[in-house]
Amino acid sequence: MKDTAQILEKQRLYFAGGETLKRDFRKKQLLVLQKAVQESETAIMTALQKDLNKSSFEGYATEIGIVLEELRFMLKNLDRFTRPRRVRTPLAHFLSTSTVYQEPYGVVLIMSPWNYPFQLTMAPLIGAIAAGNCALVKPSAYSPHTSAVIQKIIGECFDERYVAVVEGGREVNQALLEERFDYIFFTGSVAIGKLVMGAAARHLTPVTLELGGKSPCIVDETAHLALAGRRIAWGKYLNAGQTCVAPDYVLVHKSKKEALIEEIRKSIRQFYGEEPHHNRDYPKIINEKHFDRLLGLMNSGIVAAGGRFNRETRQIEPTVLDAVAWDSPVMQEEIFGPILPVLEFEEVSEVIGLVNARPKPLALYLFTTSAAHEEEVLSRISFGGGCINDTVVHLATSHMAFGGVGESGMGGYHGEASIRTFSHSKSILKKSNLLDVPLRYPPFKNHLSLLKKIMK
């Protein structure tokens, strides 16, 4: 492990010099990173294949492509996102102007996970750079090949006084959290997120936590079942279910359950063949510990599709579980793997009560053609974000913020939201010297009636 205290001291001095505050400097650094990502495409895909057995298509679509889109979007809009914003001034401050400045925090820590190891490292880094910060990046030790590529790219692009990478496992994470940062951006599990927030509290460091949870997928009696089955199977089994916004379980109207399960079965065969656990393009489970944990969850219901596995390659076939109870093991934790429990309901109001009785999910998906059901679900259930008649794709845009609520996280990023996350909104009121209204100064005499007319 590098001497992080020395790196942080260098970064604080570099930030204090003011170079990162210049918009032209920020753009130049984003262009350097963009070029490096484009030139490293083959190396990134190879690393993703080694760590997670991601195909080139899936690697580009869910990692490299999203990063390049975010870079392009940020370069195009950086001036607009970061320039001072004039806002209205109340009459009580007559002859004044009000302006909000986006001020970078300083030195930020970005801690990223293993499931989308490239995208979930680079996307927040783009925001940190665009906002004018220095950054220390800590990629996951569980995806060592991708972490090594990230180390190489960042090491070749930037001086460590500006952006640096620290690799390592749990001990390194703990050591980093002992240091004082100006901001911490963490993506990972709820359990570790609580530890990060606790460590940040010791220094009163603000945080963004991108966590997870059990994201429901609701399919009502009006849904287009063939389309729902295809899009649920795609979103659930993408990256072998190791996606923080994957549909964690399905709640389907009881009259449509068997038909939906058949559509999901059909889609699994179309996507992955008759033996997905031997498909060379189907992702693997990240390590033995998670592989065994997932196999243990298989006993939570009746296997309606899939269920086979290949221990040698750590591949678990896309699986659907029927006859699952709310108190079964698979419903007690985020699954984070290719197992999809299916439960049934009779009324949408019943679904709302069941979901709201549990921690707020990171995502929610609703398949319906009923405007009334759509309005009822969106207005009465709190969740991070989601889709109507699709899954997962709401996060693959720079035009909307992505983030959780409650136990699924706090704060958001992507596009302009990243600038807001990695900078402080500094409010400045500039008063004219031409006029000084005596109303506010003592003695107040009988000024109250005039004050009430101005402030009402």
Side-chain angles (χ1 to χ4, degrees), residues 51 90 94 161 229 269 274 378 408:
D51 286 332
F94 181 64
R161 295 178 305 160
R269 288 194 297 270
E274 295 296 333
L378 292 183
S408 61

Side-chain angles (χ1 to χ4, degrees), residues 190 208-212 360-362 403-411:
V190 174
T208 289
L209 301 177
E210 297 295 343
L211 308 177
K360 296 178 181 181
L362 180 57
V405 60
E407 285 196 23
S408 61
M410 61 180 68

Side-chain angles (χ1 to χ4, degrees), residues 85-99:
R85 290 178 289 123
R86 286 285 293 272
V87 297
R88 294 187 66 173
T89 303
L91 180 62
H93 304 309
F94 181 64
L95 279 189
S96 303
T97 58
S98 300
T99 309

